[in-house]
Amino acid sequence: MKKVIATDKAPAAIGPYSQAIEVNGMIFTSGVIPVNPATGEIPAGIEAQAEQAIGNLAALLKAAGSGTDRVVKTTVFIKEMEHFATVNGIYAKYFTGEYPARSCVEVARLPKDVLIEIEAIALQA
């Protein structure tokens, strides 16, 4: 049995998909981009975009009854691998202690031409 997770505290889906799905106590998020859910604006620069994207992911996890401390795997998509160290610094603010497994890949293009997108698999609290 699956349950759709939706919140206005994270960007709405921009296509035929759910923000997140819960199945048997596991949360699977869609990719989250750095759109301010209140204004629809995208901040400039990788630091601000990483903060917004990971903050949006944290809000989505909270709405799903989870949190960044319950994440077991993330996938981070970045536009330029030169941003890897900057993204790591911001990522470390949200994920502490026992870090989740992670993949980070450089991609040619992301939705709305953002610089970062992140998805996660987490345990429900």
Side-chain angles (χ1 to χ4, degrees):
M1 184 104 113
K2 68 180 182 178
K3 177 183 174 187
V4 173
I5 307 297
T7 181
D8 62 359
K9 305 296 183 201
I14 56 175
Y17 59 89
S18 299
Q19 288 174 301
I21 297 288
E22 183 267 324
V23 177
N24 297 326
M26 297 288 297
I27 308 298
F28 300 86
T29 75
S30 291
V32 181
I33 60 174
V35 174
N36 180 316
T39 66
E41 294 179 6
I42 298 168
I46 189 60
E47 289 180 4
Q49 286 196 22
E51 279 284 354
Q52 184 71 58
I54 299 171
N56 288 345
L57 177 67
L60 179 55
L61 291 167
K62 182 177 180 181
S66 188
T68 56
D69 61 325
R70 308 282 294 158
V71 172
V72 295
K73 171 75 165 83
T74 62
T75 305
V76 180
F77 306 94
I78 56 178
K79 179 86 163 95
E80 297 177 32
M81 197 52 75
E82 290 78 17
H83 295 153
F84 186 79
T86 301
V87 170
N88 272 345
I90 294 162
Y91 184 95
K93 293 181 191 178
Y94 290 87
F95 299 96
T96 59
E98 294 178 350
Y99 298 115
R102 183 181 83 179
S103 300
C104 183
V105 295
E106 181 181 66
V107 295
R109 194 168 180 201
L110 291 164
K112 298 187 177 266
D113 290 319
V114 298
L115 302 174
I116 183 172
E117 180 173 1
I118 183 169
E119 64 184 27
I121 300 170
L123 302 170
Q124 215 170 23

